[in-house]
């Protein structure tokens, strides 16, 4: 019974394979393998599953399955050839060559085998040439670097060439085999920055994507030394060492996504111990006074990137639990640092924000309430342990820690505000005579008043306090922060015009003062950042945002701040721009509910007159003129954990609002907006990725892709656009994505292949059935370009589908644009394959009537395409040509061909005459003398 079932499953797998459902086919073959012991059947099943592996690009599995089939029958020619194909894709050219050589011996007349032999031979020769040239280059560089008498610039050049070699697989392996790690350690010992930097970068290249090498290098260089190099007060060095550690972590944790087989995989030990040691050292760096601000930032960046789970569907969060237990107090110490105190650790402008983000990510990565309670208790113990009536500096650190947590997980911060003594200490610090105390207390008050419901306590108690400080202090730093506190409380009603907290005109006065400070370059950057923070709240008021976009110096001052090394400003700038462009989500107002609310005397949100579309369009124009795109492009490039997914979403919203008017898209492309959008469409929140993809679609639809997305970047645009074709997206997003794909598919066959590989074809076909005229038209136009690709044509040639029928029927639609696109697609398909000419006559009985209508069409472009189809059918087959001549088509061709060709009709008349000449060649008609 089991053998019979195995045979049935094999047949089922074959049917799935023919229908191109390779996953289902693999499943059927795998089930059959468990049920049979028949050697011939086993060989067939392994061979068939190898074919599925090739189709799904699972080359390691394909090679393994083919090998098992060969173990059963060493002369299994299909299995040998499939293993050859898999090994070629895995880069094992010499092994692939042996397999195809055996195939050619078994079937010497098979042209396919002979062609593969020639191709692989050429590839192997090229690989050997590169290998030998690499050998000599490595040797030469080592000689220069080992020679103490060689000139400094020659040594530096050789070291830089090593970096390039280290990034190539063959070069990295040669350096490794030629005792290169020991030499690179000698370079680190020289203490010369340029040589140390070159050594670090070479090691980084050697570790990338190679677990065994990464393990050896980590143990040879040792983690203490790597961390001490990252701790130096040199931003370039610190970043290079951070990249080295990231390459090691990626390789050890398998994040490099490369398949390792055979000896290399066997060499690698369990990496968990090494990864834990790296994490432990990074946590120690956070609280060491010997570590520079840049080094601390890079340690936080590495922890942010590698500790929390990238996907919450993964159950294991052990790395986060380890960091919470062994490092949360250290992170809290960084968050609680007060720069003006003598005991402060070396920091940059970004350090405390990076620590807040790490706390937020760790808290979000916890799976259950007991884990969150444990996290909260550690925070509570740390903060309450800092309170000391005898030591004001410790109290200051406690409030600064609460302030930092409020910038991370707000719910946790809000619970900590309720701790006994926290709010009282804030109020006491506000009344202190020491300016540092006031500074910390005001910042904490600002962060505590994030939500309207929670800001009510501070609105009633804090406003008078802030006003008092604002009036009495002479310190600009404190003045500006108290102003931001007032701005934040004043905007607590959001965009609702009827929920203003302050008197008419107060918010405009606050905003005017913020703009004044923003433009004052004599104030330090960190303090001017708070002016942007204030505007991020105040620009919810339409009067404020309208005034702000008219103040060009203030706009440009904000854009310049966004380009500085202080990345803590990114969120505030992005929020301000979202407010100015009204690109936030607005709840739909249902008139019936408004009437009901008025009747029950409930509050009804009011729209400000300056939030109408005309005003928004004017603001967008002014922002573009002031240079907003260059600022956004600079913000997107920020290589820091501070550029959070939420910030990326805000930037995507701004881009989408700026792209709304087609006339502005040229300006956006010219200033690098197209390139800047690509990373936003690939990474971030789901909403952010959709918004960025929509903006990309708008640009791709009307721009020259070679200019908008130069070089290889254009291929990265395809995936986000294909995702927009999802039926869950709205009609406008579907439509503009189709327009963008139409433009891209018209550029090159490589782009058409990329669109096909991203499985866009079924979605495009679905929209060709759509009732919505514009969607159907856009999809048909896209298909018109896609049919130029060989693999798409093969789909039309395959039996058992209605693709060709759909295109023929669309040629008979009343919509001229749909007809034009469908006729274009049909003209190209029938020109490419004679089989499709014959198939066209079989898919529907209306084909001849539709063709005649096309040839008589009022629109010359449609008529021309119809005549080209007629010519293709006539040229394909004499029997088919005879059938056409016997119909009314001959009369149509004669009438069109006899016309006097003017400039507009020249192509149409010429094509009709070529059809008549073809009929004469067959002898169906004769020329009239």
């Amino acid at each position: 019974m089991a053998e019979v079932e195995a045979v049935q499953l094999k047949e089922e797998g074959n049917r799935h394979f023919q229908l191109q459902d390779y996953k289902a086919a693999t499943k059927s073959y795998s089930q059959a393998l468990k049920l049979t012991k028949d050697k011939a059947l086993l060989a067939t099943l392994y061979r068939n599953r190898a074919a599925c592996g090739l189709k799904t690009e699972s080359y390691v599995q394909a090679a393994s399955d083919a090998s098992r089939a060969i173990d059963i029958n060493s002369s299994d020619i299909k299995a040998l050839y499939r293993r050859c194909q898999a090994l070629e894709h895995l880069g094992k050219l010499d092994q692939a060559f042996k397999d195809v050589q055996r195939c050619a011996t078994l079937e010497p007349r098979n042209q396919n085998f002979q062609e593969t032999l020639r191709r692989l031979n050429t590839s192997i020769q090229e690989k050997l040439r590169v290998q030998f040239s690499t050998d000599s280059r490595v040797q030469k560089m080592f000689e220069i670097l080992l020679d103490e008498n060689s000139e400094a610039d020659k040594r530096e050049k050789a070291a830089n060439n090593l970096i390039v070699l280290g990034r190539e697989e063959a070069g990295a392996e040669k350096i490794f085999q030629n005792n290169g790690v020991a030499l690179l350690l000698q370079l680190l010992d020289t203490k010369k920055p340029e040589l140390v930097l070159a050594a670090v970068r070479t090691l980084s290249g050697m570790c990338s994507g190679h677990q065994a090498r990464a393990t050896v290098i980590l143990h040879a260089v040792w983690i203490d030394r790597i961390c001490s190099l990252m701790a130096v007060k040199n931003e370039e060095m610190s970043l290079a060492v951070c990249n080295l550690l990231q390459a090691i972590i990626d390789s050890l944790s398998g994040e490099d996504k490369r398949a390792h087989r055979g000896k290399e995989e066997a060499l690698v030990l369990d990496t968990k111990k090494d990864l834990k040691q790296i994490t432990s050292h990074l946590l120690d760096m956070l609280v060491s006074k010997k570590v520079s601000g840049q080094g601390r930032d890079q340690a936080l960046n590495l922890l942010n990137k590698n500790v929390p789970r990238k996907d919450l569907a993964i159950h294991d969060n052990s790395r986060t639990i380890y960091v919470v237990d062994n490092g949360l107090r250290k992170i809290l110490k960084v968050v609680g640092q007060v720069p003006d105190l003598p005991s402060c650790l070396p920091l940059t402008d970004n350090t405390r924000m990076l620590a807040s983000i790490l706390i937020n990510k760790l808290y979000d990565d916890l799976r259950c309430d007991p884990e969150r309670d444990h996290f909260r208790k550690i925070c509570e113990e740390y903060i309450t342990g800092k309170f000391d009536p005898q030591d004001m500096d410790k109290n200051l650190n406690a409030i600064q820690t609460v302030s930092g947590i409020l910038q991370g997980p707000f719910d946790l911060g809000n619970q900590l505000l309720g701790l006994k003594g926290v709010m009282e200490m804030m109020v006491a610090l506000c009344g202190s005579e020491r300016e540092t105390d006031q500074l910390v207390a005001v910042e904490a008050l600002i962060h505590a008043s994030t939500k309207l419901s929670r800001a009510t306590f501070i609105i009633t108690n804090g406003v008078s306090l802030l006003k008092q400080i604002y009036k009495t202090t002479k310190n600009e730093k404190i003045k500006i922060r108290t102003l931001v506190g007032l701005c934040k409380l004043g905007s607590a009603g959001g965009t609702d015009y009827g929920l203003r907290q302050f008197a008419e005109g107060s918010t405009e006065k606050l905003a005017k003062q913020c703009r004044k400070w923003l433009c004052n370059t004599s104030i330090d950057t960190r303090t001017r950042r708070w002016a942007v923070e204030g505007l991020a709240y105040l620009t919810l008021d339409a009067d404020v945002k309208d005034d702000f976009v008219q103040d060009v110096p203030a706009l440009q001052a904000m854009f310049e701040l966004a380009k500085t090394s202080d990345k803590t400003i990114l969120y505030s700038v992005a929020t301000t721009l979202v407010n100015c462009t009204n690109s936030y989500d607005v709840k739909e107002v249902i008139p019936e509910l408004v009437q009901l609310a008025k009747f029950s005397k409930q509050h009804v949100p009011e729209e400000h007159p300056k939030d109408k579309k005309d005003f928004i369009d004017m603001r967008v124009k002014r922002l573009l003129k002031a240079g907003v795109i260059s600022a956004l492009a600079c913000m997107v490039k920020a290589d820091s954990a501070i550029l959070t997914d939420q910030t990326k979403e805000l930037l995507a919203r701004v881009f989408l609002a700026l792209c709304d008017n087609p006339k502005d898209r040229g300006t956006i492309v010219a200033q690098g907006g197209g390139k800047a959008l690509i990373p936003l469409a690939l990474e971030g929140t789901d909403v952010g990725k959709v918004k960025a993809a929509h903006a990309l679609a708008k640009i791709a639809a009307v721009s020259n892709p070679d200019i908008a997305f130069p070089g290889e970047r254009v291929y990265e645009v395809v995936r986000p656009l294909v995702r927009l074709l999802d039926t869950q997206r709205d009609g406008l997003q579907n439509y503009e994505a189709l327009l963008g794909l139409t433009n891209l598919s018209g550029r090159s066959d490589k782009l058409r292949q990329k669109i096909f590989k991203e499985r866009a074809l079924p979605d495009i076909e679905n929209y060709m059935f759509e009732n919505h005229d514009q969607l159907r038209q856009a999809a048909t136009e896209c298909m018109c370009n896609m049919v130029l690709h060989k693999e798409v044509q093969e789909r039309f040639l395959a039996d058992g589908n209605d693709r060709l029928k759909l295109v023929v029927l669309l040629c008979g639609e009343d919509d001229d644009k749909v007809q034009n696109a469908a006729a274009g697609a049909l003209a190209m398909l029938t020109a490419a394959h004679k089989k499709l000419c014959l198939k066209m006559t079989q898919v529907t009985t209306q084909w001849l009537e539709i063709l005649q209508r096309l040839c008589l069409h009022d629109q010359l472009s449609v008529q021309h395409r119809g005549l080209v189809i007629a010519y293709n059918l006539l040229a394909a087959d004499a029997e088919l040509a005879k059938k056409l001549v016997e119909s009314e088509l001959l009369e149509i061709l004669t009438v069109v061909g006899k016309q006097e060709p003017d400039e507009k009709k020249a192509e149409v008349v010429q094509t009709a005459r070529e059809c008549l000449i073809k009929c004469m060649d067959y002898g169906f008609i004769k020329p009239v003398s």
Side-chain angles (χ1 to χ4, degrees):
M1 283 297 288
E3 293 293 336
V4 172
E5 195 179 339
V7 172
Q8 288 172 346
L9 281 164
K10 186 198 84 167
E11 296 302 329
E12 182 187 288
N14 292 349
R15 286 195 295 276
H16 285 309
F17 190 90
Q18 285 167 354
L19 293 168
Q20 299 177 353
D21 188 352
Y22 305 119
K23 282 186 181 176
T26 304
K27 192 176 176 183
S28 297
Y29 296 141
S30 300
Q31 287 172 339
L33 281 165
K34 293 173 187 174
L35 298 171
T36 183
K37 289 180 182 175
D38 181 87
K39 286 198 171 183
L41 183 56
L42 280 169
T44 305
L45 289 166
Y46 279 124
R47 188 172 68 214
N48 290 1
R49 199 167 73 173
C52 293
L54 288 172
K55 291 290 185 183
T56 56
E57 299 179 9
S58 306
Y59 300 119
V60 173
Q61 186 62 47
S64 172
D65 283 340
S67 295
R68 288 180 181 184
I70 294 160
D71 289 343
I72 296 166
N73 177 7
S74 60
S75 299
D76 189 333
I77 200 159
K78 284 185 179 178
L80 281 164
Y81 190 60
R82 281 168 194 169
R83 187 169 72 176
C84 159
Q85 289 174 295
L87 290 169
E88 184 183 356
H89 279 102
L90 291 167
K92 301 186 184 301
L93 303 182
D94 48 345
Q95 293 174 38
F97 186 81
K98 285 177 187 172
D99 280 346
V100 77
Q101 208 170 28
R102 176 100 173 105
C103 291
T105 308
L106 292 168
E107 276 188 28
R109 292 187 180 178
N110 189 312
Q111 287 299 312
N112 201 9
F113 297 158
Q114 297 297 336
E115 177 56 40
T116 307
L117 259 178
R118 279 194 292 274
R119 189 181 71 250
L120 283 173
N121 186 40
T122 308
S123 300
I124 290 166
Q125 295 302 322
E126 178 60 23
K127 191 177 178 181
L128 286 170
R129 187 186 66 74
V130 171
Q131 203 169 347
F132 287 125
S133 66
T134 303
D135 261 359
S136 58
R137 279 160 68 198
V138 171
Q139 211 59 47
K140 181 97 176 174
M141 284 167 213
F142 280 179
E143 285 168 16
I144 295 168
L145 290 165
L146 284 166
D147 184 5
E148 290 182 7
N149 300 319
S150 61
E151 294 169 24
D153 60 333
K154 276 191 176 180
R155 287 183 79 179
E156 196 177 327
K157 191 176 178 183
N160 287 330
N161 286 341
L162 263 184
I163 298 169
V164 177
L165 267 181
R167 288 174 187 156
E168 302 167 7
E169 178 53 36
E173 195 55 37
K174 286 296 155 198
I175 295 170
F176 193 73
Q177 287 171 4
N178 283 301
N179 197 31
V181 177
L183 174 78
L184 291 165
L185 286 173
Q186 287 178 39
L187 283 181
L188 293 177
D189 291 335
T190 63
K191 302 282 193 294
K192 292 180 180 175
E194 65 279 2
L195 292 180
V196 173
L197 205 56
V200 168
R201 286 173 175 163
T202 307
L203 288 166
S204 186
M206 289 168 70
C207 290
S208 293
H210 201 293
Q211 215 173 53
R213 274 204 303 263
T215 308
V216 171
I217 287 168
L218 178 65
H219 289 274
V221 183
W222 199 232
I223 184 68
D224 286 325
R225 189 174 193 176
I226 295 172
C227 289
S228 65
L229 281 170
M230 195 161 80
V232 299
K233 198 175 180 179
N234 177 328
E235 196 171 353
E236 193 178 13
M237 178 71 73
S238 199
L239 183 61
V241 180
C242 175
N243 290 336
L244 167 60
L245 261 179
Q246 187 60 58
I248 291 171
I249 291 167
D250 283 347
S251 295
L252 295 185
S253 59
E255 289 289 325
D256 55 87
K257 302 287 186 286
R258 300 189 198 184
H260 303 298
R261 298 174 71 239
K263 284 184 278 185
E264 186 184 300
E265 193 169 55
L267 281 169
V268 179
L269 304 167
D270 182 21
T271 60
K272 285 179 183 173
K273 190 178 174 184
D274 287 333
L275 287 167
K276 191 174 276 190
Q277 195 176 35
I278 292 169
T279 307
S280 178
H281 275 75
L282 291 174
L283 289 168
D284 290 341
M285 283 183 74
L286 298 184
V287 290
S288 170
K289 279 220 164 192
K290 294 177 183 176
V291 176
S292 68
Q294 289 89 348
R296 214 176 308 280
D297 283 4
Q298 297 305 344
L300 284 163
N301 272 326
L302 284 166
L303 290 166
N304 265 307
K305 192 171 182 183
N306 298 295
V307 174
R309 292 170 291 170
K310 289 178 178 63
D311 182 2
L312 293 178
I314 299 164
H315 191 69
D316 181 24
N317 69 339
S318 55
R319 280 194 273 194
T320 294
I321 299 298
Y322 175 78
V323 171
V324 170
D325 289 339
N326 298 280
L328 182 54
R329 289 173 183 82
K330 293 172 183 176
I331 301 163
L332 289 170
K333 185 174 178 179
V334 177
V335 164
Q337 293 299 299
V338 180
D340 297 332
L341 295 183
S343 61
C344 184
L345 296 167
L347 306 174
T348 69
D349 291 334
N350 301 322
T351 311
R352 287 188 61 247
M353 180 60 83
L354 284 166
S356 291
I357 289 165
L358 178 56
I359 290 172
N360 192 43
K361 285 189 173 181
L362 293 172
Y363 191 73
D364 286 347
D365 200 42
L366 299 174
R367 290 198 323 251
C368 57
D369 287 343
E371 288 179 1
R372 281 184 277 274
D373 288 340
H374 176 58
F375 192 101
R376 179 177 50 77
K377 279 174 187 168
I378 293 173
C379 294
E380 283 179 3
E381 285 168 15
Y382 181 85
I383 291 160
T384 51
K386 284 281 176 187
F387 284 140
D388 186 349
Q390 306 303 318
D391 190 342
M392 208 58 183
D393 285 359
K394 279 190 172 182
N395 294 331
L396 210 55
N397 287 134
I399 297 303
Q400 186 81 318
T401 306
V402 174
S403 184
I405 294 171
L406 283 163
Q407 291 175 76
F410 186 84
D411 290 336
L412 173 64
N414 205 49
Q415 286 176 318
L416 297 174
L417 280 176
L419 281 175
K420 188 181 176 184
V422 171
M423 286 306 291
E424 291 85 347
M425 184 56 70
M426 278 191 201
V427 173
L429 288 173
C430 281
S432 168
E433 289 181 8
R434 194 166 65 156
E435 289 181 341
T436 306
D437 297 351
Q438 290 184 3
L439 209 65
V440 170
V442 170
E443 284 189 20
L445 276 173
I446 292 166
H447 296 310
S449 56
T450 294
K451 300 259 174 87
L452 175 60
S453 56
R454 288 162 184 156
T456 48
F457 167 81
I458 295 158
I459 287 172
T460 49
N461 300 286
V463 172
S464 57
L465 208 60
L466 291 171
K467 282 182 179 175
Q468 183 63 30
I469 297 171
Y470 185 71
K471 285 173 186 172
T472 55
T473 187
K474 290 177 183 175
N475 186 324
E476 289 280 295
K477 291 181 181 181
I478 297 170
K479 218 176 181 67
I480 201 165
R481 283 163 175 78
T482 54
L483 185 79
V484 172
L486 292 167
C487 294
K488 194 169 185 178
L489 298 172
S491 64
T495 55
D496 187 348
Y497 186 47
L499 257 188
R500 286 158 295 173
Q501 300 293 326
F502 294 161
E504 190 77 50
S506 295
T507 44
E508 286 92 321
K509 284 178 188 172
L510 290 171
K512 193 174 180 182
Q513 187 59 53
C514 282
R515 297 205 312 269
K516 190 177 166 187
W517 271 320
L518 184 57
C519 296
N520 187 350
T521 49
S522 63
I523 302 173
D524 65 287
T525 308
R526 193 156 159 258
T527 305
R528 286 168 69 207
R529 172 174 72 80
W530 282 96
V532 182
E533 189 97 6
L535 287 166
Y537 299 112
L538 291 174
T539 45
L540 285 165
D541 185 299
D543 287 315
V544 171
K545 60 180 117 175
D546 221 50
D547 291 342
F548 181 48
V549 294
Q550 290 178 51
D551 188 345
V552 177
L555 272 181
Q556 289 176 339
M558 184 175 79
F559 296 157
E560 287 308 310
L561 279 177
K563 296 174 188 176
T564 61
S565 59
D566 181 1
K567 300 302 172 196
T568 55
I569 200 170
L570 295 179
Y571 189 80
S572 304
V573 174
T575 306
T576 306
L577 291 171
V578 164
N579 292 342
C580 289
T581 54
N582 283 48
S583 46
Y584 41 72
D585 288 327
V586 180
K587 286 182 182 175
E588 189 184 349
V589 178
I590 301 164
E592 291 83 356
L593 288 179
V594 172
Q595 292 300 321
L596 192 64
K598 283 179 179 175
F599 180 74
S600 58
K601 295 184 180 175
Q602 295 291 317
H603 173 72
V604 179
E606 297 173 39
E607 186 186 42
H608 195 290
K610 288 185 180 175
D611 276 331
K612 292 193 165 40
K613 191 161 186 340
D614 294 349
F615 283 94
I616 297 168
D617 292 345
M618 190 59 70
R619 287 200 288 270
V620 165
K621 286 261 186 288
R622 286 187 171 132
L623 284 169
L624 287 167
K625 197 175 177 183
V628 68
I629 297 297
S630 60
L632 288 170
C634 195
M635 289 164 77
V636 170
K637 287 178 192 167
D639 185 20
S640 168
I642 292 175
L643 183 64
T644 59
D645 288 350
Q646 286 73 24
T647 309
K648 287 177 187 172
E649 183 187 315
L650 294 177
L651 295 176
R653 286 175 180 276
V654 176
F655 266 118
L656 183 56
L658 296 173
C659 292
D660 193 49
N661 188 339
K663 290 177 183 175
D664 295 331
R665 292 173 201 170
T667 309
I668 292 165
V669 167
Q671 293 177 11
K675 291 177 281 186
L677 269 167
I678 296 170
L680 295 178
L682 297 172
E683 294 174 2
T685 64
D686 290 339
V687 173
K689 287 191 283 190
V690 169
K691 300 274 183 195
H694 193 184
L696 273 178
K698 285 177 181 287
I699 288 172
V702 298
S703 309
N704 180 340
D706 300 334
I707 296 168
F709 317 107
E712 297 297 305
R713 284 193 187 93
V714 71
Y715 300 104
E716 294 178 55
V717 178
V718 174
R719 183 170 294 170
L721 296 195
V722 172
R723 283 180 185 156
L724 276 189
L725 297 181
D726 193 311
T727 49
Q728 291 182 338
R729 307 275 78 86
D730 65 47
L732 183 63
Q733 290 170 342
N734 299 153
Y735 175 67
E736 292 188 318
L738 286 166
L739 293 184
L741 289 169
T742 302
N743 198 7
L744 293 177
S745 59
R747 301 306 296 176
S748 70
D749 196 57
K750 204 172 171 186
L751 270 168
R752 286 190 283 274
Q753 185 181 21
K754 175 71 177 167
I755 294 167
F756 181 80
K757 291 270 184 195
E758 290 293 342
R759 298 184 174 88
L761 207 65
D763 289 323
I764 297 168
E765 287 169 349
N766 284 343
Y767 289 114
M768 288 168 73
F769 284 103
E770 185 64 51
N771 287 330
H772 194 287
D773 291 344
Q774 284 177 299
L775 274 174
R776 189 166 70 250
Q777 174 203 322
T780 312
E781 285 173 353
C782 191
M783 184 59 78
C784 181
N785 287 346
M786 286 299 294
V787 294
L788 287 167
H789 184 57
K790 187 184 170 188
E791 287 178 86
V792 178
Q793 291 170 9
E794 285 170 4
R795 291 284 179 96
F796 277 89
L797 283 163
D799 294 327
N801 68 73
D802 289 332
R803 287 188 179 91
L804 191 66
K805 182 179 180 179
L806 173 62
V807 174
V808 174
L809 292 174
L810 286 173
C811 289
E813 285 280 315
D814 293 332
D815 187 321
D816 288 352
K817 288 181 178 176
V818 171
Q819 263 189 313
N820 195 37
L826 196 56
M828 284 184 278
L829 286 167
T830 51
H833 296 279
K834 288 183 179 179
K835 185 183 171 184
L836 288 174
C837 295
L838 298 167
K839 192 175 177 181
M840 177 186 159
T841 64
Q842 296 158 8
V843 290
T844 172
T845 53
Q846 298 169 295
W847 70 272
L848 188 56
E849 184 192 334
I850 289 168
L851 180 60
Q852 289 170 356
R853 280 181 62 193
L854 289 177
C855 294
L856 285 169
H857 206 280
D858 298 338
Q859 208 175 87
L860 292 175
S861 63
V862 180
Q863 187 181 19
H864 178 241
R865 291 172 184 208
L867 290 164
V868 169
I869 296 164
Y871 178 81
N872 294 338
L873 297 181
L874 288 165
D877 181 73
E879 283 297 314
L880 179 55
K882 189 178 180 184
K883 198 173 182 180
L884 289 169
V885 169
E886 287 169 355
S887 72
E888 292 173 9
L889 188 68
L890 180 61
E891 193 179 335
I892 295 166
L893 293 172
T894 310
V895 170
V896 177
K898 282 182 178 178
Q899 289 177 11
E900 282 300 318
D902 56 25
E903 198 176 320
K904 288 180 182 177
K905 291 184 178 179
E907 276 187 324
V908 171
V909 174
Q910 181 60 32
T911 309
R913 288 175 180 176
E914 284 171 9
C915 289
L916 292 168
I917 291 164
K918 199 74 193 170
C919 294
M920 284 163 58
D921 292 345
Y922 282 126
F924 297 150
I925 59 170
K926 291 179 182 177
V928 178
S929 56

